[in-house]
Amino acid sequence: MKIINTIEELQTIRKELSGTIGFVPTMGALHEGHISLIKNAREDNDIVIVSIFVNPTQFSVNEDLDKYPRRDAADKKICELCKVDYLFMPEINTMYKCDDEVLIKAPKISSFILEGEKRPGHYDGVLQVVLKLFNLVQPSNAYFGKKDAQQLSLISQMVKNLFLPINIVECEIIREQDGLAMSSRNVYLTQEERKEALAISKSLNVTIVSITKGQRDSKTIKDKMYEVMSNLDVEYVAIVNRDFEEIQTIEAKNTIILIACKVGTTRLIDNIWV
Ligand code: AMP
C-alpha cells in the first residue's frame, strides 16, 4: 500500500492508473463500518483508494473538530490488511489553500431539515470536500454508509446535479453485537453512557417488529420510539421517504426512520431503511 500526502503525487499516480477505481472517503479512526465499505470496494474494483481527512469545513465552531479521534498508525495497518492500494492522508492546508474559495451549497431542502437543521453549514462542508476528493481521485465507484443517510442522499444528488461520472454505492450499517451502530464517536462514551445508548438501536428494533406485525402509522411508531428512548436526550425522530419528505404512513421500500440524540455530551445518529 502506498501512502500519499500531496495533491501533486496523487494526480501523478492517478494519471497512470487504469481499470476500475473504488474510492472510500473517511475521517479515520477506522472501525468495522469503514472496513465493510473498503471490503465492498475491494470486491468490485481493480484499484482501491481510501482517504482519511478530518474535514474542518463540515464542523461548526462548537463541535468536536479538535477532539475528533485520530488513529493514524492503526488506520494505516487496517488499510494495509484490507489490501488498499493507495491511502490518501492530506493535511488541512493541502486541501484548503485559502479561506475564500468557490463554494458548493447543499440544496435548501436538505440544509434545513434533520442534520442540516441541527448542524448549519455541515452539508456544505461535506459536499465541498467530497467534490474535491472526487475530482482528485476520479473514482468509478464511491462507497458511502447508510449510517449517514442524509449525507448519502445528498452526495447521490450532487453526482446527478453536477453530472459526475461516478457510481455511488450504498453500504449497509454495521453494528456492534449488542446493536449499537459503529461510529468513530462511540469512543467518547463512558461505560454507563455506552449502556444507555443501546436504547437507540432498541427503539429501531422495536419499530422493525411493529412494522412486521403490520403497524404503518408514523405517529404511533414515533411515540413508541420516544418511549423506548425516554432515558436519552432525543434531538429528533423522523420518518421520511427516500426524498427525505416526512411521511404519515410507512411505505415499504421507500421509508427511512432516523434518530439523532445526545448521550451525555456525545451526539449519535442511527437509522433503519424499511
Ligand atoms: P466517517 O469516517 O464517519 O466520515 O465515515 C466514512 C464513511 O463510513 C461514511 O460513508 C459513513 O457513512 C460510513 N460509516 C460510518 N459508520 C458506519 C457504519 N456503522 N456502518 C456502515 N458505514 C459506516
Side-chain angles (χ1 to χ4, degrees):
M1 181 180 82
K2 177 150 185 55
I3 294 171
I4 303 174
N5 300 112
T6 69
I7 304 292
E8 295 71 24
E9 202 182 0
L10 178 55
Q11 286 180 322
T12 308
I13 287 172
R14 177 64 187 88
K15 268 189 207 142
E16 300 303 318
L17 296 178
S18 56
T20 54
I21 295 181
F23 178 45
V24 183
T26 80
M27 297 207 299
L30 302 180
H31 50 66
E32 290 294 333
H34 299 112
I35 291 172
S36 76
L37 269 53
I38 298 172
K39 281 187 177 154
N40 285 340
R42 186 68 282 171
E43 265 171 36
D44 300 346
N45 299 276
D46 299 314
I47 309 273
V48 174
I49 303 181
V50 172
S51 66
I52 295 181
F53 180 62
V54 182
N55 173 40
T57 67
Q58 70 191 67
F59 288 79
S60 67
V61 276
N62 50 3
E63 289 185 336
D64 57 343
L65 174 63
D66 292 335
K67 66 169 189 155
Y68 197 83
R70 321 249 166 173
R71 301 266 160 74
D72 286 2
D75 288 350
K76 285 178 194 170
K77 268 258 147 54
I78 290 172
C79 286
E80 224 157 49
L81 288 171
C82 292
K83 302 199 171 6
V84 169
D85 295 293
Y86 299 97
L87 174 58
F88 180 48
M89 300 177 77
E91 296 291 333
I92 291 176
N93 58 9
T94 303
M95 293 301 285
Y96 296 103
K97 301 283 184 217
C98 74
D99 292 340
D100 192 20
E101 290 199 338
V102 171
L103 293 176
I104 171 155
K105 271 212 113 16
K108 285 191 206 74
I109 165 127
S110 306
S111 305
F112 298 130
I113 58 163
L114 309 177
E115 289 303 281
E117 184 194 354
K118 300 290 176 194
R119 305 183 69 189
H122 170 66
Y123 286 123
D124 299 343
V126 169
L127 295 178
Q128 180 184 24
V129 79
V130 171
L131 183 59
K132 279 174 188 256
L133 290 166
F134 279 176
N135 285 334
L136 288 165
V137 173
Q138 298 171 42
S140 330
N141 301 298
Y143 296 77
F144 291 88
K146 288 179 168 181
K147 162 95 179 356
D148 298 280
Q150 211 178 344
Q151 166 177 286
L152 171 56
S153 155
L154 271 171
I155 288 167
S156 302
Q157 195 181 341
M158 175 174 77
V159 162
K160 262 195 218 141
N161 291 167
L162 301 185
F163 311 116
L164 304 178
I166 298 169
N167 176 42
I168 302 297
V169 183
E170 302 181 345
C171 301
E172 295 306 323
I173 300 176
I174 305 298
R175 298 176 178 281
E176 303 279 1
Q177 276 197 338
D178 58 13
L180 183 68
M182 297 222 177
S183 163
S184 304
R185 289 190 167 97
N186 289 350
V187 296
Y188 299 151
L189 299 171
T190 63
Q191 251 182 345
E192 196 50 42
E193 288 168 349
R194 173 81 183 58
K195 273 190 218 144
E196 288 170 19
L198 291 180
I200 304 170
S201 51
K202 189 170 168 214
S203 78
L204 292 172
N205 284 337
V206 166
T207 300
I208 293 170
V209 171
S210 85
I211 292 174
T212 311
K213 285 185 181 158
Q215 181 58 259
R216 293 288 177 272
D217 180 54
S218 296
K219 181 170 181 322
T220 311
I221 288 171
K222 271 197 208 175
D223 288 348
K224 182 72 195 163
M225 290 174 74
Y226 273 104
E227 195 185 308
V228 175
M229 292 190 288
S230 58
N231 61 329
L232 301 178
D233 176 8
V234 179
E235 280 188 6
Y236 62 74
V237 171
I239 301 186
V240 300
N241 62 21
R242 295 284 201 269
D243 296 321
F244 282 84
E245 295 157 338
E246 293 257 11
I247 48 175
Q248 305 313 316
T249 309
I250 303 287
E251 299 162 15
K253 298 206 184 326
N254 189 29
T255 300
I256 310 175
I257 304 177
L258 306 112
I259 299 169
C261 65
K262 277 233 172 104
V263 185
T265 53
T266 307
R267 189 170 185 280
L268 299 176
I269 58 170
D270 200 349
N271 65 71
I272 45 167
W273 299 48
V274 179

